[in-house]
């Protein structure tokens, strides 16, 4: 951690930047904050009163800067960060800052870290619930919402830390007690430049672990562990577990890796029932197993795993059923912002009317469409890059009916839900799993999910009125 009087530049005035600046001021650093948005800087007027200097759109660090703390979304080729690197000034992220502050404390926290392309937030939420069921002072933090530096300053004993590839890129000494890479698929390639660089960033979650967790069902996760993990590795699988793994046997999640969990390979220990997992889909069983593995790495009992998973309430916009009528369910998975996440959402249903589209950011959807073509009853497309999905459907699922809603229409989501309902049949699911980012039409994926939910409720209410009128007639 920077010594008292160090001169630190915080790049970015968002949530993580504010928390980093507050922590640095508390540590006695001289802090400058820069951001391209004067409005965001204006929101930090209280920090100015506490001694921080606010500067708009700096392109190089002020003279005498000792350290730069960057917000995670800033790319390494941003002019300010390139200038800092050229001047020999260390650049770290808020996660790394939190780690250094924590390590300097008299009672540092236990860090249990989760990364991967998809499933991070759900897994961290499950992990937090399991840890609390064990009576531990635990909190979910990091990319999940609460900045890690705030969790550290609050003095929590165990941190369930969600880590994005950006945050890991800017962390050079972070060394969690245990870490997991849930999966790896094409995402954020515009930021990292290649899948190799993206995976390399993710692999930092294994640095210095006491125990590393990998997904035996995901080739990339397994490969990263083999290449980069130096600690004992424990696998998770939605199949029957081998020795050294957690997995699924019948309707049970079972442990064949930890002491008391059949470490000799002869027996396995019950962790939870499949029915304890509220979210649908095999991917959520995998998330639950990862949470249990990390908790078990910290000595949590199987009973606490079971209780924590039962108590966990699913987050919004992650495979949530938001309506049901005429034997058709409507599922909000707006968080499926890339093809890999959309594939997991679709796999949970045998017959689907798929609502998809948005900003693909260079992602290829061909494998997604080929894999799930047999599930599609129809596809409704929205968003700027919907034509790319339409083109893939023409080539890979030519018999599937496809309708498109122009993104500029004010009621695009409402029209999409109406069209999807028209194509749905009893026993099917209407699934919003866009496979794309939302910023072309919405503030974020949560805004998109809310629009979907509201549209579903409106369409179902209209249908109920129509049925009542027909009955009276």
């Amino acid at each position: 951690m920077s010594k008292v009087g160090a001169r630190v530049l915080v790049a970015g005035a968002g949530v993580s930047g504010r928390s980093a600046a507050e922590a640095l001021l508390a540590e006695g650093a001289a802090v400058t904050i820069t951001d391209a948005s004067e409005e965001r800087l204006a929101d930090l007027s209280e920090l100015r009163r506490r001694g921080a200097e606010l500067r708009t759109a700096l392109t190089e660090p002020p003279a005498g800067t000792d350290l730069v703390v960057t917000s995670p979304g800033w790319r390494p080729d941003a002019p300010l960060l390139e200038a800092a690197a050229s001047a020999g000034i260390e650049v770290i992220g808020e996660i790394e800052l939190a780690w250094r502050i924590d390590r300097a404390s008299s009672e540092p926290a236990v860090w249990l870290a989760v990364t991967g392309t998809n499933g991070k937030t759900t897994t961290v939420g499950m992990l937090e619930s399991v840890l609390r069921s064990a009576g531990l002072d635990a909190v979910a933090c990091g990319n999940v919402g609460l900045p890690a530096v705030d969790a550290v300053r609050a003095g929590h004993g165990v941190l369930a830390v969600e880590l994005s590839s950006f945050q890991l890129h800017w962390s050079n000494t972070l060394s969690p007690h245990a870490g997991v890479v849930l999966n790896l698929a094409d995402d954020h390639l515009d930021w990292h430049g290649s899948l190799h660089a993206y995976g390399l960033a993710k692999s930092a979650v294994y640095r210095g672990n006491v125990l590393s967790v990998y997904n035996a069902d995901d080739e990339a996760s397994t490969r990263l562990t083999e290449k980069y993990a130096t600690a004992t590795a424990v696998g998770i699988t939605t199949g029957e577990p081998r020795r050294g793994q957690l997995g699924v046997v019948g309707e049970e999640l079972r442990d064949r890796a930890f002491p008391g969990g059949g470490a000799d390979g002869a027996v396995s220990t019950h962790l939870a029932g499949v029915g304890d997992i509220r979210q649908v889909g095999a991917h959520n069983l995998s998330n639950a197993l990862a949470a249990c593995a990390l908790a078990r790495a910290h000595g949590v009992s199987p009973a606490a795993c079971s209780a924590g998973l039962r108590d966990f309430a699913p987050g919004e916009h992650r495979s949530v059923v938001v309506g049901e009528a005429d034997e058709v369910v409507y599922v909000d998975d707006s968080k499926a912002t890339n093809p890999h996440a959309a594939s997991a959402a679709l796999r949970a249903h045998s017959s689907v009317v798929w609502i998809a589209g948005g900003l693909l950011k260079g992602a290829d959807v061909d494998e997604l469409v080929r894999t799930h073509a047999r599930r599609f009853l129809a596809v409704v497309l929205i968003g700027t890059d919907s034509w790319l999905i339409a083109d893939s459907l023409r080539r890979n699922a030519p018999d599937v009916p496809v309708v498109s809603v122009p993104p500029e229409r004010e009621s695009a989501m409402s029209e999409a839900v109406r069209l999807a309902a028209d194509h749905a049949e009893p026993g099917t699911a209407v699934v919003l799993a866009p496979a794309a980012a939302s910023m072309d039409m919405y503030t974020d994926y949560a805004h998109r999910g809310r629009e979907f939910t509201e549209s579903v409720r409106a369409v179902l209410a209209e249908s109920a009125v129509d049925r009542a009128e027909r009955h009276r007639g």
Side-chain angles (χ1 to χ4, degrees):
M1 178 45 215
S2 297
K3 59 185 180 295
V4 172
R7 290 162 292 188
V8 184
L9 174 64
V10 175
V15 174
S16 65
R18 176 194 290 268
S19 293
E22 289 175 344
L24 288 161
L25 288 169
E27 294 283 328
V31 178
T32 299
I33 308 169
T34 187
D35 196 285
S37 169
E38 293 184 1
E39 183 178 353
R40 281 197 294 269
L41 286 171
D43 288 340
L44 304 184
S45 56
E46 173 60 28
L47 294 185
R48 173 184 277 145
R49 285 191 287 272
R50 291 168 53 188
E53 183 179 358
L54 309 182
R55 301 280 299 274
T56 305
L58 289 178
T59 57
E60 56 184 44
T65 297
D66 299 305
L67 177 71
V68 175
V69 179
T70 180
S71 295
W74 284 48
R75 292 164 54 122
D77 59 2
L80 174 62
L81 303 186
E82 284 193 327
S86 296
I89 300 170
E90 186 180 20
V91 180
I92 65 173
E94 176 261 333
I95 293 291
E96 176 70 15
L97 177 67
W99 174 257
R100 295 184 186 188
I101 292 174
D102 186 45
R103 293 303 99 177
S105 69
S106 58
E107 295 186 26
V110 174
W111 288 50
L112 303 174
V114 178
T115 194
T117 301
N118 299 301
K120 297 185 295 295
T121 301
T122 297
T123 302
V124 162
M126 289 174 168
L127 176 57
E128 178 190 53
S129 183
V130 167
L131 294 168
R132 289 183 174 178
S133 290
L136 298 170
D137 175 21
V139 67
C141 61
N143 198 49
V144 72
L146 175 69
V149 73
D150 289 348
V152 164
R153 295 179 68 206
H156 293 287
V158 187
L159 307 184
V161 192
E162 177 182 331
L163 296 173
S164 71
S165 58
F166 307 151
Q167 290 169 318
L168 285 163
H169 176 89
W170 296 117
S171 300
N172 54 19
T173 70
L174 172 69
S175 179
H177 178 78
V180 62
V181 178
L182 298 171
N183 45 61
L184 194 71
D186 289 357
D187 199 20
H188 302 306
L189 302 191
D190 53 342
W191 198 96
H192 291 281
S194 68
L195 183 60
H196 172 75
Y198 176 55
L200 185 62
K202 292 289 191 187
S203 72
V205 79
Y206 291 136
R207 184 192 299 121
N209 290 171
V210 172
L211 184 138
S212 300
V213 180
Y214 67 97
N215 185 350
D217 299 333
D218 186 273
E219 181 182 350
S221 172
T222 303
R223 188 168 59 248
L224 286 175
T225 311
E226 291 171 347
K227 189 170 183 179
Y228 297 107
T230 57
T232 299
V234 164
I236 59 169
T237 174
T238 56
E240 188 164 339
R242 299 177 180 176
R243 182 180 303 183
Q245 293 183 339
L246 284 68
V248 180
V249 180
E251 293 298 309
E252 294 182 77
L253 276 63
R254 300 193 69 89
D255 173 4
R256 288 188 65 185
F258 292 93
D264 61 358
V267 296
S268 61
T269 293
H270 172 84
L271 293 173
V274 169
D276 293 331
I277 315 303
R278 300 189 195 182
Q279 290 129 307
V280 297
H283 59 297
N284 284 312
L285 294 180
S286 183
N287 295 337
L289 289 163
C292 289
L294 291 174
R296 297 281 282 147
H298 185 49
V300 169
S301 70
C305 290
S306 181
L309 293 176
R310 282 197 306 272
D311 291 344
F312 174 66
E316 293 183 315
H317 317 299
R318 297 171 176 85
S319 294
V320 178
V321 175
V322 297
E324 185 171 358
D326 300 325
E327 298 181 56
V328 176
V329 295
Y330 294 78
V331 180
D332 171 14
D333 208 321
S334 183
K335 185 65 168 64
T337 56
N338 56 62
H340 188 267
S343 183
L346 294 170
R347 192 173 288 113
H349 309 278
S350 59
S351 179
V352 175
V353 179
W354 182 32
I355 301 178
L359 292 173
L360 286 172
K361 300 184 297 181
D364 185 1
V365 296
D366 278 357
E367 182 178 355
L368 170 67
V369 171
R370 282 195 300 269
T371 299
H372 298 287
R374 62 180 177 80
R375 302 179 195 273
F376 297 144
L377 188 61
V379 178
V380 180
L381 297 175
I382 59 174
T384 300
D385 290 340
S386 61
W387 66 274
L388 290 167
I389 303 176
D391 183 58
S392 181
L393 286 161
R394 278 192 295 272
R395 288 183 283 105
N396 298 296
D399 297 329
V400 174
V402 178
V403 289
S404 296
V405 179
E408 63 272 12
R409 290 194 186 168
E410 186 175 345
S411 58
M413 184 61 78
S414 178
E415 186 174 345
V417 171
R418 209 174 295 276
L419 288 166
D422 289 343
H423 283 86
E425 298 176 355
T428 65
V430 172
V431 180
L432 173 68
S438 57
M439 286 77 75
D440 56 335
M441 297 173 63
Y442 304 98
T443 304
D444 51 26
Y445 75 83
H447 179 200
R448 179 171 61 190
R450 289 192 299 272
E451 288 279 325
F452 173 75
T453 300
E454 291 168 5
S455 297
V456 167
R457 289 171 179 166
V459 168
L460 295 188
E462 290 172 8
S463 297
V465 170
D466 290 344
R467 286 195 300 271
E469 290 180 348
R470 287 195 300 271
H471 180 72
R472 285 196 299 270

